[in-house]
């Protein structure tokens, strides 16, 4: 499984993804699920994936190849975030169709979900959830965050804290607590984590990896865990 | 959907269930999912169900009919909790088999999960999760709580708080917070809630219903919600 969160907030965008993949419990590995596509001063995108790893790796490879081919429309030549999301949706559909066609009907799910956010110069930042069918929804002020993968364990804390005007640092802290709760209750989501903060109009993104043993994350986890216990003890 | 929790703790057993059922989002109703079977001074059981409502209602009806028939083994004549769990498992299997046989293969899931706990005089209290296949697992000191239904939203708080030696009142408070988090994030779990606390060797159980607007539960929800926000603001 996987857990990814993205938020579109007043001040910018937040992205966080785990790196654990598993095919059954005896085949666990670590793969990057957050990928950046950028052209300095022109556009900056992050793409987070869950679902079938072959599909999501093909998707990223195809998008990268497209971006080096001047004759094709690609993420880097898209005129709008909507068009960029359509490009991704088309690729997702085409990869799944190609694989599903040749399959042995062994019940394999080739589906892949994508969180896609960023900004193109001259447009406001935006954030999409792209479905395996290639269609997508966009985050709004009423629904400032989107999740894919093992989303349920870490949803209550997001629902309680995240609003459109939540600050970026606060929102990232909340995302990390959401990951902590999820990793506490579900083995299929695991460290290290990849995170990225996008500030409006900077057209610049970089991934910060939080490794096992990260000092800040460990302090946050301990403080949250003991804080919850204290809070619980103080309840009526 | 449904959410039910049961715990087997040092001092006794805890049961909590919501009452919302839904077949799609436009057919929402309220049904009791917690049922008691008791014989004063001899045995005391609670049964919580999730899944297909027709199956779980049939199950409860059959178990009640069995219990009035002196010629049949029933929950009230069972010599051990293990035997009682077997009786329930047999009924679950038989109801699902009867329905599945006549069905139009329209993809209906007749499955039903059961949490079954209580005590028979002379035995220690115990708690089981009975599967649609009729087999079951038993709660132990290492795993003092079991959930059925929409279990993920409310699992993190249980994982952080509940241990085998947690007090019964504290455990019930934790169960209510787990329900609050679940109902906050998922519409298919809803008020009123049914709760029951069983103290070891009392052989006596009663359901306490927490209705919408319940004064204690509202205070708890508000205090937890504002406490979480404060705790969050205080994180490093």
């Amino acid at each position: 499984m996987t857990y990814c969160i993205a938020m579109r907030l007043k001040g910018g965008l937040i992205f966080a993804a785990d790196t654990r993949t598993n095919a059954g419990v005896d085949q666990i590995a670590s793969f990057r699920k957050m990928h950046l596509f950028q052209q300095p001063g022109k556009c900056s995108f992050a793409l987070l994936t869950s679902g079938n790893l072959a599909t999501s790796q093909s998707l990223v490879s195809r998008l990268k190849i497209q971006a080096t081919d001047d004759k094709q429309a690609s993420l880097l030549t898209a005129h709008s975030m909507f068009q960029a999301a359509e490009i991704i949706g088309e690729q997702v559909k085409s990869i799944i169709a190609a694989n599903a066609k040749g399959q042995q009907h062994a019940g394999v799910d080739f589906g892949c979900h994508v969180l896609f956010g960023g900004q193109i110069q001259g447009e406001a930042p935006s954030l999409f959830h792209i479905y395996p069918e290639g269609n997508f929804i966009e985050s709004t002020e009423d629904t400032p965050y989107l999740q894919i993968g093992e989303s349920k364990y870490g949803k209550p804390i997001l629902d309680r804290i995240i609003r459109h005007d939540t600050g970026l640092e606060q929102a990232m802290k909340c995302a990390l607590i959401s990951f902590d709760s999820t990793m506490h209750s579900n083995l299929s989501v695991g460290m290290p984590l990849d995170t990225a903060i996008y500030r409006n109009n900077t057209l610049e993104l970089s991934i910060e990896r939080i490794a096992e043993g990260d000092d800040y994350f460990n302090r946050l986890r301990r403080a949250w865990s003991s804080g919850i216990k204290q809070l619980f003890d103080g309840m009526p």
Side-chain angles (χ1 to χ4, degrees), chain A:
Chain A
M1 234 5 220
T2 288
Y3 181 34
C4 300
I5 310 176
M7 305 181 198
R8 198 200 66 150
L9 305 168
K10 207 172 161 190
L13 302 161
I14 291 287
F15 302 96
D18 83 318
T19 55
R20 184 162 294 173
T21 65
N22 66 301
V25 288
D26 56 353
Q27 199 175 340
I28 288 177
S30 185
F31 283 95
R32 188 174 284 272
K33 299 167 191 174
M34 185 186 295
H35 301 270
L36 304 184
F37 290 82
Q38 308 195 71
Q39 192 142 20
K42 188 170 174 290
C43 61
S44 190
F45 308 124
L47 195 137
L48 286 63
T49 58
S50 74
N52 188 297
L53 184 64
T55 301
S56 54
Q57 286 194 342
S58 292
L59 172 67
V60 173
S61 299
R62 284 198 189 192
L63 292 171
K64 279 185 184 160
I65 292 168
Q66 263 189 344
T68 59
D69 180 355
D70 292 344
K71 286 174 224 120
Q72 283 190 64
S74 82
L75 287 189
L76 301 185
T77 61
H79 298 298
S80 65
M81 287 294 292
F82 181 81
Q83 195 198 345
E86 280 188 321
I87 289 171
I88 298 170
E90 283 305 316
Q91 288 295 350
V92 170
K93 255 201 302 199
S94 131
I95 294 163
I96 294 174
N99 289 328
K101 208 175 156 187
Q103 77 151 315
Q104 314 157 53
H105 299 285
V108 179
D109 183 355
F110 295 104
C112 151
H113 288 257
V114 180
L115 295 180
F116 171 67
Q119 187 173 20
I120 292 177
Q121 204 192 8
E123 247 201 350
S126 51
L127 171 64
F128 298 88
H129 177 167
I130 302 166
Y131 297 101
E133 291 77 10
N135 59 351
F136 44 84
I137 58 167
E138 183 177 355
S139 170
T140 64
E141 292 193 15
D142 291 329
T143 303
Y145 75 86
L146 299 172
Q147 304 165 286
I148 53 177
E150 272 294 356
S151 58
K152 294 186 180 185
Y153 304 101
K155 191 169 186 289
I157 185 67
L158 300 175
D159 284 336
R160 292 188 197 272
I161 302 290
I162 299 298
R163 300 289 172 267
H164 180 247
D165 58 0
T166 303
L168 295 180
E169 278 72 20
Q170 291 292 93
M172 182 55 85
K173 192 169 78 176
C174 185
L176 294 180
I177 291 170
S178 176
F179 269 93
D180 178 41
S181 295
T182 306
M183 292 190 293
H184 209 83
S185 292
N186 189 303
L187 283 180
S188 76
V189 176
M191 301 286 290
L193 306 180
D194 286 329
T195 65
I197 296 184
Y198 178 78
R199 285 170 215 284
N200 288 345
N201 308 318
T202 54
L203 297 173
E204 204 180 285
L205 253 175
S206 61
I207 293 178
E208 196 174 321
R209 175 154 286 198
I210 298 177
E212 195 83 59
D214 179 89
D215 183 49
Y216 169 70
F217 190 49
N218 279 354
R219 271 196 298 138
L220 181 66
R221 295 181 90 160
R222 277 198 301 271
W224 185 255
S225 182
S226 66
I228 285 279
K229 280 179 196 122
Q230 267 175 39
L231 176 63
F232 178 80
D233 288 339
M235 283 296 108

